[in-house]
Amino acid sequence: MRDTGMGAGLGGESLLFLTDEQLRQGIEAMFFAYRGFTADPDRILTDMEYGRAHHRAVHFINRAPGTTVNNLLNILGVTKQSLNRVLRTLIADGLVESRVGHSDKRERHLYLTDAGRALEQQLSDAQRARMRTAFREAGPDAVGGFRRVLEAMMDPEMRRAYARLKENGT
Amino acid sequence: MRDTGMGAGLGGESLLFLTDEQLRQGIEAMFFAYRGFTADPDRILTDMEYGRAHHRAVHFINRAPGTTVNNLLNILGVTKQSLNRVLRTLIADGLVESRVGHSDKRERHLYLTDAGRALEQQLSDAQRARMRTAFREAGPDAVGGFRRVLEAMMDPEMRRAYARLKENGT
DNA sequence: CAGCTTACGTCAGTGTTGTTGACATTCCAA
DNA sequence: TTGGAATGTCAACAACACTGACGTAAGCTG
């Protein structure tokens, strides 16, 4: 762990800091913030035939074009049957394209079509706008802390998936 | 907005900071972290007959004992039909008590029973443990940033609800 | 008091999203 | 080549959200 990196002088203070009340406030902050986080895309999606699951699929396909169903499954943390229902409608509506794997024909590689990219853009614009406002309001210093705490809150497996996507984007 | 509060000297840097890539990473961090955030209570709840909705109800009733149904509705952001289904089972199972209002007899005031408090304790222990570990790992400085960004991400209405609960806990 | 509103509960119907179970196809290795 | 593992699809079901409609009790107001 990185506890030692905090310096000995902070030991007492950090213990004092983590009162039950502070932790409870952190929990509630996560709850309320996540609501805000999903509110804008949700509004857009309900007008269409889609839900939050479609948003997630579109987001990560855009993020890692050519990804396989199995890979997407691990990232999203749902069963393949659940994902498949979503993918089926997205493919039927011409937002996602599924190409049979070249080397392994069992695999399907997923890509956004132009229409899919347009939807992703619309959804992500709304979500990024809120994130941008929040980052600006909280100040540059806060953003690092925000990201560090969130990363530490992830399950190790998800943490690795997150890191892989970060590299992807660079 | 509070943009001006950041000082003129940070303008360029903050603009540089908020690249699309940074924002997308923030979005993905929220997604993965929220999964971790709910994972432990979810595991406990599936063993019982309950779901995440029951957890939320129990959490906020514990947090604001004597709260009314209407108040809880606003905090949770669900329909009364949806909340009622949850409350009905919790009351039937003896985890929540519903008392008719003293001054306004239309209102029902909600309290946890001893059994309800026990469940809340069990769930919140797990969730707080993860939060504590994350806070420790990220360091004391990060916690402030974490909270500031989350608060800025909330809808104004939820922000007020959050602030009210914070005062409650003090 | 009469009529309107508020707070709460409930019944019925629907949609999204998760689950398990069963199955087809493809790959690979014994 | 045969059997097992991996990948993906189809079908049925459960949880939990939603809307809409209705009923009851209590408060408020003219």
Side-chain angles (χ1 to χ4, degrees):
Chain A
M1 303 300 160
R2 281 170 46 195
D3 281 344
T4 53
M6 292 165 48
L10 292 168
E13 190 185 357
S14 81
L15 279 178
L16 193 70
F17 196 79
L18 297 176
T19 61
D20 239 48
E21 177 58 25
Q22 297 279 349
L23 294 170
R24 279 183 194 276
Q25 285 178 22
I27 289 170
E28 283 159 8
M30 273 299 278
F31 173 70
F32 289 125
Y34 197 77
R35 284 255 296 284
F37 172 69
T38 56
D40 302 321
D42 280 357
R43 254 189 299 276
I44 296 171
L45 287 160
T46 47
D47 293 345
M48 319 176 173
E49 296 279 283
Y50 299 132
R52 207 175 284 180
H54 300 82
H55 179 196
R56 292 196 282 256
V58 165
H59 173 98
F60 285 109
I61 293 173
N62 175 70
R63 189 67 158 160
T67 187
T68 63
V69 172
N70 216 1
N71 186 22
L72 199 51
L73 233 51
N74 292 327
I75 289 177
L76 295 177
V78 295
T79 59
K80 59 182 178 175
Q81 295 89 331
S82 195
L83 174 60
N84 186 259
R85 180 171 356 98
V86 168
L87 283 180
R88 206 185 325 171
T89 68
L90 288 173
I91 291 169
D93 295 352
L95 300 181
V96 168
E97 193 187 349
S98 166
R99 297 184 204 156
V100 174
H102 22 284
S103 61
D104 189 335
K105 287 177 185 166
R106 291 172 302 180
E107 295 180 340
R108 301 288 184 276
H109 296 275
L110 303 169
Y111 301 87
L112 292 186
T113 64
D114 288 347
R117 257 187 300 277
L119 175 61
E120 198 284 330
Q121 190 72 26
Q122 190 188 354
L123 294 171
S124 113
D125 276 354
Q127 204 160 34
R128 281 203 314 269
R130 186 182 287 253
M131 190 68 73
R132 178 162 30 233
T133 304
F135 278 3
R136 260 211 266 267
E137 194 173 324
D141 297 345
V143 176
F146 166 75
R147 291 258 297 266
R148 271 199 300 284
V149 172
L150 288 191
E151 194 164 343
M153 212 180 314
M154 299 175 195
D155 277 337
E157 197 185 343
M158 289 303 102
R159 208 157 161 176
R160 266 175 273 129
Y162 174 66
R164 241 176 285 129
L165 286 170
K166 271 201 297 189
E167 289 167 23
N168 231 1
T170 314
Chain B
M1 308 291 163
R2 280 171 45 195
D3 281 344
T4 53
M6 289 168 51
L10 292 168
E13 190 186 357
S14 82
L15 279 178
L16 192 69
F17 196 79
L18 297 177
T19 61
D20 241 45
E21 177 58 25
Q22 297 278 350
L23 294 170
R24 279 183 194 277
Q25 286 178 22
I27 289 170
E28 283 159 8
M30 273 299 278
F31 172 70
F32 289 125
Y34 198 77
R35 284 256 297 283
F37 171 69
T38 57
D40 304 320
D42 280 357
R43 255 189 298 276
I44 296 172
L45 287 161
T46 47
D47 293 345
M48 318 178 173
E49 295 280 284
Y50 299 130
R52 206 176 285 181
H54 300 82
H55 180 196
R56 292 197 282 258
V58 164
H59 172 99
F60 285 109
I61 293 173
N62 174 71
R63 187 68 159 159
T67 188
T68 63
V69 172
N70 221 353
N71 187 21
L72 199 52
L73 235 52
N74 291 327
I75 290 177
L76 295 177
V78 296
T79 60
K80 63 176 178 178
Q81 294 92 328
S82 201
L83 174 59
N84 188 259
R85 181 176 355 104
V86 168
L87 282 180
R88 208 184 326 176
T89 68
L90 289 174
I91 291 169
D93 295 352
L95 301 181
V96 168
E97 193 188 349
S98 167
R99 298 185 203 154
V100 174
H102 22 284
S103 61
D104 189 334
K105 288 177 184 166
R106 292 172 304 178
E107 296 179 338
R108 300 293 136 82
H109 298 276
L110 303 170
Y111 300 88
L112 291 186
T113 64
D114 289 346
R117 257 186 300 277
L119 175 61
E120 197 284 330
Q121 191 71 26
Q122 189 187 356
L123 294 172
S124 115
D125 276 353
Q127 203 159 34
R128 280 202 315 268
R130 186 183 286 253
M131 189 69 70
R132 180 164 24 237
T133 304
F135 278 3
R136 260 210 266 267
E137 193 173 326
D141 296 346
V143 176
F146 165 75
R147 290 259 296 268
R148 270 200 299 285
V149 173
L150 288 190
E151 194 164 344
M153 212 181 311
M154 299 175 195
D155 277 336
E157 199 185 341
M158 289 302 103
R159 208 156 160 177
R160 266 174 274 129
Y162 174 67
R164 242 176 285 129
L165 285 170
K166 272 202 296 190
E167 290 167 22
N168 232 0
T170 315

